Amino acid sequence: MSAHEMNLRDWLTSDDPETRMQARLGQGFRLARALARNPLAMVGLVVIVALLLIAAFAPWLAPFSPTEGVLANRLQPPSATHWMGTDELGRDILSRVIHGTRITLMIVVLVAVIAAPLGLIMGAVAGYFGGWVDRLLMGFTDIFLSLPRLILALAFVAALGPGIENAVIAIAITAWPVYARIARAEVLTFRNAEFIAAVQMQGASSWRIIGLHVIPLCLSSTIVRVTLDMAGIILTAAGLGFLGLGAQPPLPEWGAMISRGRSFILDQWWVATMPGFAIVIVSLGFCLFGDGLRDVLDPKQRSKG
Amino acid sequence: MIDVRNLTVRYGDTTVLHGVSLAVAEGESFALVGESGSGKSTILKALVGQVDDWQGQMTLAGHALQPGRRADLARQVQMVFQDPYGSLHPRRTVDDTLAEPLAIHGIKGRDARVLAMLDAVGLPRRFRFRLPHQLSGGQRQRVAIARALMLEPRVLLLDEPTSALDVSVQAEILNLLKGLRAEKGLTFLLVTHDLPVVSFLCDRLAVLRAGRVEEAAAVATLRAAGLRSAYGRELLERSGLV
């Protein structure tokens, strides 16, 4: 057993991989091993994995319905039956927080899927071509970048109408310019490198160079940045929910829950506090994981100390 | 094979090359010698389309070049760069780097070609899936030479291919280049400031200074320390060949 494990480790860390597959797995293994040495990153990873699991099994984990309550039980403090208490409609807050993970996760994933590739492509194209393409794309990016994120998202939601999908679109539209800026700055550092000149000389098209040679080099910094931004995205989504422009009742969105609990914050503190805890823990998880990821993927940016 | 006439290149207000002319025959190995800033690398850059703003006539492997237009001569001309640390993509394995030109030109039988090329440049086959940071400088330069030869070009432009390497490794790379040239009948245009390299690898040379050709000579003249121009003699003295 242990001999077999040693062989697997040797196989993964071999300096002379025999196949493409072994080379890729080996790189992944080295990355995972470096990440596992960072305890805070592992805490972040645990939080994220827990979020994924809770979201996947929400209907089985939640003890009560997230949308239907018993009015006789309204505003009960935390107890053995209602671990986080109940809200003003007698709904179990724990069940709502558990179901809320799905909404949070959906927002985070959709924003990442829309904003990161958009920003990455914009930045890579601008940086690679330079000249008027760069000025045009970056001018466009700067317009979005110069407006405060929440205000811009508010404006979009106001125009598109409240709702979770529109909130996602609004946040994605406000999130991509940062990735474009980072990707462009990164591309400029190796735009004139000889390995780019070499592939140009081989007759590769600009799109091939951007797609296969330029973007892979920007990928790690973008992944790090997206992970670090997750906390901000969750907070923006919660902010929109709090202002009544995100998820609509009776959806158990954490920001909207805090908003509802605001009226009772002095006497029934748990109504607003419990979803607040959830937001803090998940945001912190993404931050810690992103920090660890940066140390592994982007050694140049490593935080000092 | 390479014919450059009256090549003038300006970077903004500074003129880097003043009407340089040179001709390299097929199968010949020609050296451009001069200090840094003499414009020798600029000639290579103009030939491969890295410099757009030039005047004069250039013919490469029978194709007339146009300023500002990158001629599709990838299968005729390739280049080996000076710095083996900057010329390989840091995230691509040796295999990726060597297979890329084949993929661009839709050439079949990539595995066999990559392995054959590793053998040809003297890299062990087990290095095939290594990343550049797992290779030494000399090994990287072998990869760069292999990459340049993947499309079987007739002309190889060499931009100080050994000056970033250790002395012992330099000799290996020079021997490799000499062997490859004999084997494949390549035409070399070599840029260097190292006269012993010229004497080892080249048939003829041109001495460049401040963007002008001071003197063109056969390598026998160099070996006999017979360069005529004042600057040529200065270079000879500095490299200890006199």
Side-chain angles (χ1 to χ4, degrees), chain A residues 15-20 23 27 30 194-195 197-198 200-204 208 212-213 217 220, chain B residues 50 74 78-79 81 83 86-89 91-92 95 100 103-105 126 129-130 134 147:
Chain A
D15 267 341
D16 305 308
E18 280 150 33
T19 59
R20 219 161 263 138
Q27 283 171 42
R30 284 197 186 90
E194 287 173 345
F195 61 84
Q200 285 170 343
M201 219 170 283
Q202 288 161 0
R208 186 183 179 94
L212 294 180
H213 299 261
L217 280 179
S220 49
Chain B
Q50 299 276 343
Q78 283 295 325
M79 185 158 162
F81 297 92
D83 176 15
S87 69
L88 298 180
H89 194 290
R91 293 281 165 85
R92 310 198 105 214
D95 180 68
E100 180 72 1
I104 293 169
H105 292 270
R126 63 193 162 83
F129 296 103
R130 282 198 183 187
Q134 296 170 301
R147 170 180 62 190

mmCIF file of all heavy atoms in Angstrom, chain A residues 15-20 23 27 30 194-195 197-198 200-204 208 212-213 217 220, chain B residues 50 74 78-79 81 83 86-89 91-92 95 100 103-105 126 129-130 134 147:
data_model
loop_
_atom_site.group_PDB
_atom_site.id
_atom_site.type_symbol
_atom_site.label_atom_id
_atom_site.label_comp_id
_atom_site.label_asym_id
_atom_site.label_seq_id
_atom_site.Cartn_x
_atom_site.Cartn_y
_atom_site.Cartn_z
ATOM 1 N N ASP A 15 10.694 14.139 -13.099
ATOM 2 C CA ASP A 15 11.205 15.224 -13.935
ATOM 3 C C ASP A 15 11.118 14.871 -15.416
ATOM 4 O O ASP A 15 11.273 15.732 -16.272
ATOM 5 C CB ASP A 15 12.674 15.507 -13.587
ATOM 6 C CG ASP A 15 12.777 16.607 -12.550
ATOM 7 O OD1 ASP A 15 11.794 17.352 -12.391
ATOM 8 O OD2 ASP A 15 13.828 16.711 -11.905
ATOM 9 N N ASP A 16 10.902 13.611 -15.700
ATOM 10 C CA ASP A 16 10.898 13.181 -17.096
ATOM 11 C C ASP A 16 9.602 12.451 -17.430
ATOM 12 O O ASP A 16 9.599 11.244 -17.648
ATOM 13 C CB ASP A 16 12.079 12.245 -17.366
ATOM 14 C CG ASP A 16 13.379 12.887 -16.962
ATOM 15 O OD1 ASP A 16 13.617 14.016 -17.402
ATOM 16 O OD2 ASP A 16 14.139 12.276 -16.206
ATOM 17 N N PRO A 17 8.477 13.198 -17.433
ATOM 18 C CA PRO A 17 7.210 12.529 -17.731
ATOM 19 C C PRO A 17 7.244 11.906 -19.116
ATOM 20 O O PRO A 17 7.866 12.428 -20.037
ATOM 21 C CB PRO A 17 6.172 13.648 -17.655
ATOM 22 C CG PRO A 17 6.917 14.909 -17.486
ATOM 23 C CD PRO A 17 8.347 14.632 -17.279
ATOM 24 N N GLU A 18 6.582 10.728 -19.222
ATOM 25 C CA GLU A 18 6.628 10.026 -20.495
ATOM 26 C C GLU A 18 5.489 10.410 -21.415
ATOM 27 O O GLU A 18 5.562 10.206 -22.620
ATOM 28 C CB GLU A 18 6.598 8.512 -20.239
ATOM 29 C CG GLU A 18 7.970 7.978 -19.845
ATOM 30 C CD GLU A 18 7.864 6.773 -18.937
ATOM 31 O OE1 GLU A 18 6.892 6.013 -19.115
ATOM 32 O OE2 GLU A 18 8.725 6.616 -18.066
ATOM 33 N N THR A 19 4.417 10.910 -20.848
ATOM 34 C CA THR A 19 3.279 11.287 -21.684
ATOM 35 C C THR A 19 2.818 12.691 -21.320
ATOM 36 O O THR A 19 3.167 13.221 -20.268
ATOM 37 C CB THR A 19 2.087 10.337 -21.460
ATOM 38 O OG1 THR A 19 1.741 10.404 -20.086
ATOM 39 C CG2 THR A 19 2.433 8.916 -21.848
ATOM 40 N N ARG A 20 2.053 13.262 -22.231
ATOM 41 C CA ARG A 20 1.463 14.580 -22.027
ATOM 42 C C ARG A 20 0.626 14.562 -20.740
ATOM 43 O O ARG A 20 0.678 15.462 -19.924
ATOM 44 C CB ARG A 20 0.541 14.848 -23.214
ATOM 45 C CG ARG A 20 0.579 16.251 -23.700
ATOM 46 C CD ARG A 20 0.041 16.310 -25.107
ATOM 47 N NE ARG A 20 1.120 16.292 -26.060
ATOM 48 C CZ ARG A 20 1.110 15.588 -27.193
ATOM 49 N NH1 ARG A 20 0.083 14.841 -27.498
ATOM 50 N NH2 ARG A 20 2.121 15.651 -28.016
ATOM 51 N N ALA A 23 2.619 14.691 -17.587
ATOM 52 C CA ALA A 23 3.153 16.030 -17.382
ATOM 53 C C ALA A 23 2.094 16.939 -16.773
ATOM 54 O O ALA A 23 2.348 17.674 -15.819
ATOM 55 C CB ALA A 23 3.664 16.602 -18.701
ATOM 56 N N GLN A 27 2.021 18.596 -12.965
ATOM 57 C CA GLN A 27 1.912 20.033 -12.684
ATOM 58 C C GLN A 27 0.784 20.297 -11.697
ATOM 59 O O GLN A 27 0.932 21.077 -10.757
ATOM 60 C CB GLN A 27 1.628 20.807 -13.970
ATOM 61 C CG GLN A 27 2.844 20.988 -14.855
ATOM 62 C CD GLN A 27 2.464 21.563 -16.207
ATOM 63 O OE1 GLN A 27 1.641 22.457 -16.283
ATOM 64 N NE2 GLN A 27 3.028 21.032 -17.267
ATOM 65 N N ARG A 30 1.854 19.231 -8.186
ATOM 66 C CA ARG A 30 2.767 20.183 -7.542
ATOM 67 C C ARG A 30 1.999 21.383 -6.994
ATOM 68 O O ARG A 30 2.254 21.876 -5.909
ATOM 69 C CB ARG A 30 3.807 20.671 -8.542
ATOM 70 C CG ARG A 30 4.865 19.639 -8.809
ATOM 71 C CD ARG A 30 6.095 20.251 -9.451
ATOM 72 N NE ARG A 30 7.014 19.185 -9.819
ATOM 73 C CZ ARG A 30 7.002 18.576 -10.991
ATOM 74 N NH1 ARG A 30 6.154 18.953 -11.924
ATOM 75 N NH2 ARG A 30 7.841 17.602 -11.258
ATOM 76 N N GLU A 194 10.591 37.204 -26.806
ATOM 77 C CA GLU A 194 11.026 36.478 -27.999
ATOM 78 C C GLU A 194 10.175 35.252 -28.286
ATOM 79 O O GLU A 194 10.063 34.837 -29.426
ATOM 80 C CB GLU A 194 12.503 36.111 -27.841
ATOM 81 C CG GLU A 194 13.382 37.360 -28.001
ATOM 82 C CD GLU A 194 14.838 37.126 -27.703
ATOM 83 O OE1 GLU A 194 15.166 36.087 -27.092
ATOM 84 O OE2 GLU A 194 15.648 37.984 -28.064
ATOM 85 N N PHE A 195 9.542 34.683 -27.231
ATOM 86 C CA PHE A 195 8.720 33.502 -27.541
ATOM 87 C C PHE A 195 7.466 33.890 -28.327
ATOM 88 O O PHE A 195 6.943 33.078 -29.084
ATOM 89 C CB PHE A 195 8.392 32.682 -26.285
ATOM 90 C CG PHE A 195 7.610 33.400 -25.218
ATOM 91 C CD1 PHE A 195 6.240 33.478 -25.282
ATOM 92 C CD2 PHE A 195 8.269 33.967 -24.140
ATOM 93 C CE1 PHE A 195 5.519 34.109 -24.283
ATOM 94 C CE2 PHE A 195 7.566 34.608 -23.137
ATOM 95 C CZ PHE A 195 6.187 34.681 -23.216
ATOM 96 N N ALA A 197 7.591 36.529 -30.539
ATOM 97 C CA ALA A 197 8.179 36.771 -31.859
ATOM 98 C C ALA A 197 8.388 35.451 -32.594
ATOM 99 O O ALA A 197 8.145 35.346 -33.800
ATOM 100 C CB ALA A 197 9.502 37.522 -31.708
ATOM 101 N N ALA A 198 8.823 34.423 -31.847
ATOM 102 C CA ALA A 198 9.104 33.127 -32.477
ATOM 103 C C ALA A 198 7.832 32.534 -33.073
ATOM 104 O O ALA A 198 7.841 32.015 -34.189
ATOM 105 C CB ALA A 198 9.716 32.171 -31.459
ATOM 106 N N GLN A 200 5.138 34.158 -33.929
ATOM 107 C CA GLN A 200 4.726 34.997 -35.068
ATOM 108 C C GLN A 200 5.489 34.577 -36.314
ATOM 109 O O GLN A 200 4.935 34.482 -37.399
ATOM 110 C CB GLN A 200 5.027 36.478 -34.779
ATOM 111 C CG GLN A 200 4.067 37.117 -33.804
ATOM 112 C CD GLN A 200 4.537 38.491 -33.371
ATOM 113 O OE1 GLN A 200 5.690 38.865 -33.533
ATOM 114 N NE2 GLN A 200 3.616 39.267 -32.804
ATOM 115 N N MET A 201 6.778 34.314 -36.104
ATOM 116 C CA MET A 201 7.632 33.952 -37.230
ATOM 117 C C MET A 201 7.250 32.605 -37.830
ATOM 118 O O MET A 201 7.549 32.319 -38.971
ATOM 119 C CB MET A 201 9.066 33.897 -36.723
ATOM 120 C CG MET A 201 10.067 34.429 -37.672
ATOM 121 S SD MET A 201 11.611 34.546 -36.810
ATOM 122 C CE MET A 201 11.366 36.001 -35.844
ATOM 123 N N GLN A 202 6.600 31.783 -37.006
ATOM 124 C CA GLN A 202 6.163 30.488 -37.517
ATOM 125 C C GLN A 202 4.888 30.609 -38.336
ATOM 126 O O GLN A 202 4.380 29.623 -38.865
ATOM 127 C CB GLN A 202 5.941 29.513 -36.362
ATOM 128 C CG GLN A 202 7.235 29.054 -35.740
ATOM 129 C CD GLN A 202 7.048 28.485 -34.353
ATOM 130 O OE1 GLN A 202 5.939 28.435 -33.846
ATOM 131 N NE2 GLN A 202 8.129 28.084 -33.752
ATOM 132 N N GLY A 203 4.357 31.818 -38.414
ATOM 133 C CA GLY A 203 3.198 32.042 -39.263
ATOM 134 C C GLY A 203 1.865 31.872 -38.550
ATOM 135 O O GLY A 203 0.840 31.715 -39.199
ATOM 136 N N ALA A 204 1.866 31.897 -37.194
ATOM 137 C CA ALA A 204 0.605 31.749 -36.471
ATOM 138 C C ALA A 204 -0.251 33.005 -36.643
ATOM 139 O O ALA A 204 0.266 34.114 -36.727
ATOM 140 C CB ALA A 204 0.881 31.511 -34.990
ATOM 141 N N ARG A 208 -4.682 32.885 -32.983
ATOM 142 C CA ARG A 208 -4.048 31.703 -32.419
ATOM 143 C C ARG A 208 -3.060 32.100 -31.327
ATOM 144 O O ARG A 208 -3.001 31.476 -30.267
ATOM 145 C CB ARG A 208 -3.318 30.934 -33.530
ATOM 146 C CG ARG A 208 -2.755 29.629 -33.050
ATOM 147 C CD ARG A 208 -1.967 28.899 -34.115
ATOM 148 N NE ARG A 208 -1.451 27.676 -33.539
ATOM 149 C CZ ARG A 208 -2.056 26.503 -33.621
ATOM 150 N NH1 ARG A 208 -3.174 26.407 -34.284
ATOM 151 N NH2 ARG A 208 -1.551 25.436 -33.039
ATOM 152 N N LEU A 212 -3.761 30.798 -27.648
ATOM 153 C CA LEU A 212 -2.942 29.688 -27.168
ATOM 154 C C LEU A 212 -1.671 30.118 -26.459
ATOM 155 O O LEU A 212 -1.098 29.356 -25.693
ATOM 156 C CB LEU A 212 -2.564 28.769 -28.343
ATOM 157 C CG LEU A 212 -3.713 28.022 -29.000
ATOM 158 C CD1 LEU A 212 -3.203 27.168 -30.142
ATOM 159 C CD2 LEU A 212 -4.433 27.158 -27.986
ATOM 160 N N HIS A 213 -1.201 31.344 -26.730
ATOM 161 C CA HIS A 213 0.074 31.731 -26.142
ATOM 162 C C HIS A 213 -0.062 32.867 -25.146
ATOM 163 O O HIS A 213 0.659 32.918 -24.161
ATOM 164 C CB HIS A 213 1.073 32.113 -27.242
ATOM 165 C CG HIS A 213 1.361 30.985 -28.175
ATOM 166 N ND1 HIS A 213 2.473 30.200 -28.055
ATOM 167 C CD2 HIS A 213 0.657 30.480 -29.206
ATOM 168 C CE1 HIS A 213 2.454 29.256 -28.997
ATOM 169 N NE2 HIS A 213 1.357 29.413 -29.699
ATOM 170 N N LEU A 217 -1.020 32.653 -20.254
ATOM 171 C CA LEU A 217 -0.115 33.302 -19.318
ATOM 172 C C LEU A 217 -0.839 34.279 -18.397
ATOM 173 O O LEU A 217 -0.316 34.649 -17.356
ATOM 174 C CB LEU A 217 0.998 34.035 -20.071
ATOM 175 C CG LEU A 217 2.134 33.155 -20.566
ATOM 176 C CD1 LEU A 217 3.155 33.974 -21.312
ATOM 177 C CD2 LEU A 217 2.794 32.443 -19.400
ATOM 178 N N SER A 220 -3.611 32.589 -14.731
ATOM 179 C CA SER A 220 -3.476 32.384 -13.290
ATOM 180 C C SER A 220 -3.793 33.665 -12.536
ATOM 181 O O SER A 220 -4.487 33.626 -11.525
ATOM 182 C CB SER A 220 -2.093 31.848 -12.949
ATOM 183 O OG SER A 220 -1.099 32.600 -13.565
ATOM 184 N N GLN B 50 9.983 42.030 -38.154
ATOM 185 C CA GLN B 50 9.774 42.581 -36.814
ATOM 186 C C GLN B 50 9.942 44.098 -36.811
ATOM 187 O O GLN B 50 9.509 44.772 -35.890
ATOM 188 C CB GLN B 50 10.760 41.965 -35.813
ATOM 189 C CG GLN B 50 10.634 40.478 -35.652
ATOM 190 C CD GLN B 50 9.548 40.100 -34.662
ATOM 191 O OE1 GLN B 50 9.113 40.922 -33.874
ATOM 192 N NE2 GLN B 50 9.093 38.871 -34.718
ATOM 193 N N ALA B 74 7.502 31.536 -43.389
ATOM 194 C CA ALA B 74 7.827 30.720 -42.223
ATOM 195 C C ALA B 74 8.557 29.436 -42.600
ATOM 196 O O ALA B 74 9.429 28.978 -41.866
ATOM 197 C CB ALA B 74 6.554 30.388 -41.455
ATOM 198 N N GLN B 78 13.749 30.818 -40.512
ATOM 199 C CA GLN B 78 13.446 30.808 -39.090
ATOM 200 C C GLN B 78 14.617 31.413 -38.350
ATOM 201 O O GLN B 78 15.681 31.629 -38.927
ATOM 202 C CB GLN B 78 13.176 29.379 -38.601
ATOM 203 C CG GLN B 78 11.803 28.846 -38.981
ATOM 204 C CD GLN B 78 10.669 29.619 -38.312
ATOM 205 O OE1 GLN B 78 10.796 30.064 -37.175
ATOM 206 N NE2 GLN B 78 9.570 29.785 -39.022
ATOM 207 N N MET B 79 14.385 31.709 -37.079
ATOM 208 C CA MET B 79 15.386 32.453 -36.322
ATOM 209 C C MET B 79 15.643 31.799 -34.975
ATOM 210 O O MET B 79 14.741 31.233 -34.359
ATOM 211 C CB MET B 79 14.848 33.879 -36.132
ATOM 212 C CG MET B 79 15.802 34.816 -35.465
ATOM 213 S SD MET B 79 15.321 36.510 -35.902
ATOM 214 C CE MET B 79 16.173 37.411 -34.652
ATOM 215 N N PHE B 81 17.081 32.905 -31.231
ATOM 216 C CA PHE B 81 17.294 34.145 -30.500
ATOM 217 C C PHE B 81 18.462 34.035 -29.533
ATOM 218 O O PHE B 81 18.949 32.947 -29.217
ATOM 219 C CB PHE B 81 16.033 34.529 -29.733
ATOM 220 C CG PHE B 81 14.863 34.800 -30.625
ATOM 221 C CD1 PHE B 81 13.971 33.795 -30.950
ATOM 222 C CD2 PHE B 81 14.665 36.059 -31.152
ATOM 223 C CE1 PHE B 81 12.895 34.041 -31.779
ATOM 224 C CE2 PHE B 81 13.596 36.307 -31.977
ATOM 225 C CZ PHE B 81 12.703 35.299 -32.298
ATOM 226 N N ASP B 83 18.587 35.009 -26.219
ATOM 227 C CA ASP B 83 18.352 34.675 -24.817
ATOM 228 C C ASP B 83 17.478 33.429 -24.705
ATOM 229 O O ASP B 83 16.276 33.498 -24.896
ATOM 230 C CB ASP B 83 17.676 35.860 -24.128
ATOM 231 C CG ASP B 83 17.315 35.539 -22.692
ATOM 232 O OD1 ASP B 83 17.846 34.540 -22.178
ATOM 233 O OD2 ASP B 83 16.509 36.262 -22.107
ATOM 234 N N GLY B 86 14.302 33.816 -22.577
ATOM 235 C CA GLY B 86 13.144 34.598 -23.007
ATOM 236 C C GLY B 86 12.505 34.073 -24.276
ATOM 237 O O GLY B 86 11.458 34.560 -24.685
ATOM 238 N N SER B 87 13.124 33.088 -24.913
ATOM 239 C CA SER B 87 12.606 32.700 -26.223
ATOM 240 C C SER B 87 11.718 31.470 -26.164
ATOM 241 O O SER B 87 11.185 31.047 -27.174
ATOM 242 C CB SER B 87 13.751 32.504 -27.213
ATOM 243 O OG SER B 87 14.499 31.377 -26.860
ATOM 244 N N LEU B 88 11.551 30.886 -24.959
ATOM 245 C CA LEU B 88 10.635 29.744 -24.831
ATOM 246 C C LEU B 88 9.462 30.139 -23.937
ATOM 247 O O LEU B 88 9.649 30.749 -22.890
ATOM 248 C CB LEU B 88 11.354 28.540 -24.215
ATOM 249 C CG LEU B 88 12.535 27.974 -25.009
ATOM 250 C CD1 LEU B 88 13.133 26.789 -24.269
ATOM 251 C CD2 LEU B 88 12.104 27.552 -26.402
ATOM 252 N N HIS B 89 8.258 29.769 -24.384
ATOM 253 C CA HIS B 89 7.048 30.056 -23.605
ATOM 254 C C HIS B 89 7.118 29.334 -22.260
ATOM 255 O O HIS B 89 7.256 28.107 -22.233
ATOM 256 C CB HIS B 89 5.834 29.578 -24.403
ATOM 257 C CG HIS B 89 4.529 30.086 -23.890
ATOM 258 N ND1 HIS B 89 4.003 29.666 -22.698
ATOM 259 C CD2 HIS B 89 3.649 30.974 -24.404
ATOM 260 C CE1 HIS B 89 2.838 30.284 -22.513
ATOM 261 N NE2 HIS B 89 2.615 31.081 -23.528
ATOM 262 N N ARG B 91 5.102 28.370 -20.035
ATOM 263 C CA ARG B 91 4.088 27.389 -19.612
ATOM 264 C C ARG B 91 3.917 26.248 -20.608
ATOM 265 O O ARG B 91 2.999 25.453 -20.484
ATOM 266 C CB ARG B 91 2.732 28.083 -19.432
ATOM 267 C CG ARG B 91 2.678 29.055 -18.302
ATOM 268 C CD ARG B 91 2.511 28.345 -16.978
ATOM 269 N NE ARG B 91 2.811 29.218 -15.870
ATOM 270 C CZ ARG B 91 1.937 30.055 -15.335
ATOM 271 N NH1 ARG B 91 0.731 30.116 -15.795
ATOM 272 N NH2 ARG B 91 2.284 30.832 -14.335
ATOM 273 N N ARG B 92 4.732 26.197 -21.653
ATOM 274 C CA ARG B 92 4.553 25.146 -22.643
ATOM 275 C C ARG B 92 5.715 24.178 -22.566
ATOM 276 O O ARG B 92 6.872 24.585 -22.458
ATOM 277 C CB ARG B 92 4.467 25.759 -24.044
ATOM 278 C CG ARG B 92 3.465 26.899 -24.121
ATOM 279 C CD ARG B 92 3.068 27.195 -25.541
ATOM 280 N NE ARG B 92 1.751 26.700 -25.814
ATOM 281 C CZ ARG B 92 1.341 26.218 -26.980
ATOM 282 N NH1 ARG B 92 2.174 26.131 -27.975
ATOM 283 N NH2 ARG B 92 0.121 25.808 -27.125
ATOM 284 N N ASP B 95 7.557 19.592 -25.877
ATOM 285 C CA ASP B 95 6.708 18.990 -26.911
ATOM 286 C C ASP B 95 5.748 20.017 -27.515
ATOM 287 O O ASP B 95 5.608 20.107 -28.736
ATOM 288 C CB ASP B 95 5.923 17.837 -26.290
ATOM 289 C CG ASP B 95 5.018 17.157 -27.290
ATOM 290 O OD1 ASP B 95 5.550 16.515 -28.199
ATOM 291 O OD2 ASP B 95 3.789 17.284 -27.169
ATOM 292 N N GLU B 100 4.054 23.060 -32.132
ATOM 293 C CA GLU B 100 3.258 24.226 -32.529
ATOM 294 C C GLU B 100 3.431 24.611 -34.005
ATOM 295 O O GLU B 100 2.440 24.767 -34.712
ATOM 296 C CB GLU B 100 3.590 25.412 -31.600
ATOM 297 C CG GLU B 100 2.831 26.689 -31.896
ATOM 298 C CD GLU B 100 1.358 26.615 -31.521
ATOM 299 O OE1 GLU B 100 0.914 25.570 -31.011
ATOM 300 O OE2 GLU B 100 0.646 27.603 -31.776
ATOM 301 N N ALA B 103 1.496 22.262 -36.073
ATOM 302 C CA ALA B 103 0.050 22.471 -35.956
ATOM 303 C C ALA B 103 -0.386 23.674 -36.777
ATOM 304 O O ALA B 103 -1.415 23.646 -37.456
ATOM 305 C CB ALA B 103 -0.332 22.661 -34.484
ATOM 306 N N ILE B 104 0.412 24.759 -36.741
ATOM 307 C CA ILE B 104 0.056 25.968 -37.489
ATOM 308 C C ILE B 104 -0.032 25.662 -38.973
ATOM 309 O O ILE B 104 -0.931 26.127 -39.663
ATOM 310 C CB ILE B 104 1.099 27.084 -37.238
ATOM 311 C CG1 ILE B 104 1.027 27.556 -35.787
ATOM 312 C CG2 ILE B 104 0.901 28.250 -38.190
ATOM 313 C CD1 ILE B 104 2.179 28.441 -35.375
ATOM 314 N N HIS B 105 0.893 24.850 -39.467
ATOM 315 C CA HIS B 105 0.926 24.589 -40.902
ATOM 316 C C HIS B 105 0.239 23.276 -41.284
ATOM 317 O O HIS B 105 0.363 22.818 -42.415
ATOM 318 C CB HIS B 105 2.379 24.601 -41.396
ATOM 319 C CG HIS B 105 2.986 25.970 -41.322
ATOM 320 N ND1 HIS B 105 2.924 26.870 -42.361
ATOM 321 C CD2 HIS B 105 3.602 26.618 -40.313
ATOM 322 C CE1 HIS B 105 3.504 27.997 -41.995
ATOM 323 N NE2 HIS B 105 3.926 27.875 -40.759
ATOM 324 N N ARG B 126 13.619 11.814 -23.120
ATOM 325 C CA ARG B 126 12.868 11.938 -21.868
ATOM 326 C C ARG B 126 12.614 13.395 -21.495
ATOM 327 O O ARG B 126 11.836 13.684 -20.606
ATOM 328 C CB ARG B 126 13.584 11.201 -20.730
ATOM 329 C CG ARG B 126 14.936 11.763 -20.396
ATOM 330 C CD ARG B 126 15.735 10.808 -19.497
ATOM 331 N NE ARG B 126 17.140 11.154 -19.536
ATOM 332 C CZ ARG B 126 17.689 12.110 -18.794
ATOM 333 N NH1 ARG B 126 16.950 12.786 -17.939
ATOM 334 N NH2 ARG B 126 18.977 12.375 -18.903
ATOM 335 N N PHE B 129 8.580 16.180 -22.342
ATOM 336 C CA PHE B 129 7.461 16.831 -21.656
ATOM 337 C C PHE B 129 7.911 17.702 -20.498
ATOM 338 O O PHE B 129 7.168 17.965 -19.585
ATOM 339 C CB PHE B 129 6.436 15.783 -21.209
ATOM 340 C CG PHE B 129 5.814 15.080 -22.374
ATOM 341 C CD1 PHE B 129 6.200 13.804 -22.717
ATOM 342 C CD2 PHE B 129 4.872 15.736 -23.152
ATOM 343 C CE1 PHE B 129 5.646 13.173 -23.820
ATOM 344 C CE2 PHE B 129 4.318 15.114 -24.246
ATOM 345 C CZ PHE B 129 4.700 13.828 -24.581
ATOM 346 N N ARG B 130 9.155 18.148 -20.545
ATOM 347 C CA ARG B 130 9.607 19.073 -19.519
ATOM 348 C C ARG B 130 9.196 20.493 -19.875
ATOM 349 O O ARG B 130 9.042 20.835 -21.039
ATOM 350 C CB ARG B 130 11.127 19.029 -19.405
ATOM 351 C CG ARG B 130 11.624 17.842 -18.645
ATOM 352 C CD ARG B 130 13.039 18.094 -18.208
ATOM 353 N NE ARG B 130 13.565 16.915 -17.523
ATOM 354 C CZ ARG B 130 14.737 16.901 -16.920
ATOM 355 N NH1 ARG B 130 15.498 17.973 -16.942
ATOM 356 N NH2 ARG B 130 15.159 15.820 -16.310
ATOM 357 N N GLN B 134 12.683 23.545 -16.261
ATOM 358 C CA GLN B 134 13.348 22.297 -15.865
ATOM 359 C C GLN B 134 14.554 22.005 -16.760
ATOM 360 O O GLN B 134 15.090 20.907 -16.708
ATOM 361 C CB GLN B 134 12.356 21.130 -15.934
ATOM 362 C CG GLN B 134 11.198 21.267 -14.958
ATOM 363 C CD GLN B 134 10.126 20.230 -15.211
ATOM 364 O OE1 GLN B 134 9.564 20.161 -16.295
ATOM 365 N NE2 GLN B 134 9.824 19.433 -14.208
ATOM 366 N N ARG B 147 13.113 24.086 -32.537
ATOM 367 C CA ARG B 147 11.885 24.761 -32.949
ATOM 368 C C ARG B 147 12.083 25.456 -34.298
ATOM 369 O O ARG B 147 11.219 25.396 -35.179
ATOM 370 C CB ARG B 147 11.481 25.797 -31.893
ATOM 371 C CG ARG B 147 10.357 26.707 -32.349
ATOM 372 C CD ARG B 147 9.996 27.704 -31.292
ATOM 373 N NE ARG B 147 11.118 28.581 -30.982
ATOM 374 C CZ ARG B 147 11.146 29.430 -29.960
ATOM 375 N NH1 ARG B 147 10.124 29.482 -29.142
ATOM 376 N NH2 ARG B 147 12.186 30.199 -29.749
#
